[in-house]
Amino acid sequence: MELAKQVALVTGGARGIGKAICKELAAAGARLAVVDIMKDVAEQTATEFLQQGVDAKAFAANVADGADVERMVDEVLAAMGQVDILVNNAGITRDNLIVRMKDSDWDAVIAVNLKGTFNCTKAVARPMMKARRGKIVNIASIVGVMGNAGQANYSASKAGVIGLTKSAAKELASRNILVNAVAPGYIQTEMTEKLSDQARQNFLSVIPLARPGTPEDVARVVRFLAGPASDYVTGQVIHIDGGMVM
Ligand code: NAI
């Protein structure tokens, strides 16, 4: 139980990869702050964990809104006493070709995926600096490394998350706050259910391990980066993609 008594704040924790991360961190002993814009689903998820004996609470917030994030982090600190681990997982897609992409689709994806990661990092940095310890894990994407037709906004936001990860790692290292990212490839979730059969086949044909990833594949690496086994690792981006990008 390497995370015993630690509080993990997971954004977008209500479902999908975020929920799997919550489950894995709880299995390592962490207490959970399940943060999501979908209040009801977050509460349902927190209740599920509570029923399994995990100390979990739901907090509603829009990560794109800095003031809302400040309020939420204050609420988490008041209710749970500390934040030891932040997982910036909340993310959205609004896919389209560049020539057809609406400004609002560009702005929404950058606001949630990139500014949301900045907002949450900023809000937890102060209490973590005071505690002189902390682990931040950002969920980027392999398309932030390799690009993807039809996802200019999304891949730009995830490339931005990788730059933010490295800057935050350098800025916060002296306070013993470690910042890393994971870059998942094709992971089976509600987000990727929207893919066409053709797009799915295209992905599978370039994955050496020849299968899509699972949310648990991602969650296990996040557990490593959140725990003491990675205490000399910061500013890194770990690909979780079945070998798609080497
Ligand atoms: P999902 O759509 O199943 O879950 C995302 C969660 O984030 C939802 O619970 C949603 O309500 C929440 N959320 C969305 N906007 C929010 C906001 N403004 N404030 C607070 N919460 C918000 O997606 P999935 O697949 O679980 O993705 C999780 C993360 O993993 C995302 O950052 C995504 O970009 C990333 N990722 C997913 C991959 C995949 O293949 N599914 C591949 C690579 C990265």
Side-chain angles (χ1 to χ4, degrees):
M1 299 291 259
E2 74 271 18
L3 302 180
K5 298 203 179 89
Q6 297 197 32
V7 174
L9 190 167
V10 181
T11 70
R15 73 173 194 196
I17 294 172
K19 187 176 177 182
I21 290 168
C22 284
K23 194 171 168 201
E24 191 66 36
L25 298 182
R31 301 161 59 209
L32 300 175
V34 181
V35 174
D36 209 284
I37 200 166
M38 299 192 297
K39 188 166 186 270
D40 294 351
V41 190
E43 272 165 6
Q44 220 173 291
T45 299
T47 305
E48 267 176 49
F49 284 119
L50 270 177
Q51 284 163 352
Q52 293 158 20
V54 176
D55 181 4
K57 285 191 180 65
F59 299 88
N62 175 5
V63 296
D65 178 340
D68 201 31
V69 168
E70 291 283 345
R71 177 217 32 95
M72 175 274 291
V73 170
D74 285 347
E75 274 181 25
V76 173
L77 288 170
M80 309 193 79
Q82 66 211 71
V83 177
D84 305 282
I85 297 158
L86 165 67
V87 182
N88 281 307
N89 164 80
I92 59 169
T93 52
R94 294 279 187 279
D95 296 353
N96 219 330
L97 298 172
I98 290 170
V99 291
R100 293 202 196 124
M101 188 173 287
K102 293 190 198 121
D103 282 10
S104 57
D105 291 336
W106 173 270
D107 291 344
V109 169
I110 300 293
V112 176
N113 300 6
L114 181 53
K115 181 108 187 279
T117 300
F118 164 72
N119 287 337
C120 295
T121 301
K122 187 177 175 188
V124 302
R126 220 165 269 134
M128 283 183 175
M129 284 163 89
K130 229 169 150 186
R132 291 205 148 262
R133 64 192 296 269
K135 295 260 184 169
I136 299 176
V137 185
N138 296 327
I139 312 302
S141 166
I142 207 66
V143 306
V145 179
M146 67 176 198
N148 199 20
Q151 290 198 306
N153 50 358
Y154 183 77
S155 52
S157 76
K158 295 299 190 178
V161 166
I162 290 171
L164 171 57
T165 300
K166 294 177 182 178
S167 296
K170 288 188 174 176
E171 215 173 294
L172 299 172
S174 63
R175 309 300 179 100
N176 193 30
I177 301 166
L178 280 60
V179 190
N180 291 287
V182 297
Y186 170 27
I187 310 294
Q188 244 164 353
T189 65
E190 285 174 59
M191 187 182 259
T192 48
E193 262 170 29
K194 291 182 244 163
L195 287 175
S196 67
D197 283 345
Q198 188 57 49
R200 192 164 293 133
Q201 268 324 108
N202 290 348
F203 267 121
L204 288 178
S205 67
V206 292
I207 299 174
L209 290 181
R211 67 164 177 90
T214 64
E216 293 71 31
D217 286 323
V218 179
R220 283 190 288 268
V221 181
V222 173
R223 176 176 175 171
F224 163 71
L225 290 173
S230 60
D231 276 353
Y232 199 53
V233 178
T234 196
Q236 301 306 305
V237 183
I238 300 185
H239 295 186
I240 310 170
D241 64 354
M244 181 159 52
V245 175
M246 296 185 189

